[in-house]
Amino acid sequence: MKELDLLKKYWKKSEDTFEQVSEVEIYKMLHKKSSSIVKWILIISILEVLLWTLISVCFNTDDYFKKIHGEDLIVYFEVFNYFNYAVILTFIYLFYKNYIKISTTVSIKQLMKDILTTRRTVNYYVWYNLTMITLSVFIGYAIAFFYNPAMIALKEKIAHEKSNYTLLIIFGFLALTTLILVGLFWLFYRLLYGILLKKLHTNYKELKKIDL
């Protein structure tokens, strides 16, 4: 009986060791995967900024404003652009900071905390972009309506109409167009960042099991 008790004690000790080693290996794997996901979030956000910068270079807004005699809008548009780039670069810095923190952390609890922080940052980034896209669309509509000479006939028709039928049709069309455009961008971000965030969330749940 004494030998059997010793064997059981040794087996129990070995079992605990195997479990500990297994948890360490799982943590290392989840740590590596989480770091890789955050790195891709950083890379994609940088590529996205470069893409929008290339589009803005190809489309010269100054020439458009001069064409519709809206030179006074150039300064406001530049301020709007500078503000937007400043916010986007701040988000990219936060993505980089999150990547460094996740890559260097050695604690399960800290890794879980960093994953949650990264998910929140990405969600804020997506909602900021969708808000700015919506705002830009409405500003574009307003500029076209008040400054574009092609809108003069339409404005005169609306002014001479006794009912608001034409105005309602215009607002309905613009609202529908905006909804479709923002919806497409939401779907784009959902596919682009949503998949990565889902993987991060899966890693978080696995880490939570280890931490129990």
Side-chain angles (χ1 to χ4, degrees), residues 56-115:
S56 64
V57 169
C58 295
F59 181 72
N60 195 325
T61 53
D62 290 358
D63 291 341
Y64 173 73
F65 287 137
K66 289 175 182 177
K67 184 179 178 180
I68 62 174
H69 306 294
E71 290 87 350
D72 53 320
L73 297 173
I74 294 176
V75 176
Y76 295 106
F77 190 76
E78 287 179 351
V79 171
F80 181 81
N81 265 344
Y82 288 141
F83 169 79
N84 188 42
Y85 271 107
V87 175
I88 294 296
L89 290 175
T90 301
F91 273 113
I92 290 177
Y93 168 74
L94 292 175
F95 292 154
Y96 173 75
K97 189 177 177 182
N98 290 336
Y99 168 65
I100 295 298
K101 287 180 69 177
I102 285 181
S103 298
T104 56
T105 187
V106 293
S107 164
I108 292 178
K109 286 187 180 295
Q110 186 59 46
L111 180 57
M112 291 169 65
K113 184 180 177 181
D114 292 338
I115 286 175

Side-chain angles (χ1 to χ4, degrees), residues 8-22:
K8 286 181 179 179
K9 187 177 180 181
Y10 176 78
W11 176 255
K12 179 65 177 174
K13 185 178 179 181
S14 301
E15 188 180 35
D16 292 340
T17 304
F18 292 144
E19 184 179 354
Q20 190 175 17
V21 171
S22 177

Side-chain angles (χ1 to χ4, degrees), residues 9 81 91 145 156 185 197:
K9 187 177 180 181
N81 265 344
F91 273 113
F145 185 78
E156 289 179 350
F185 274 103
L197 290 184

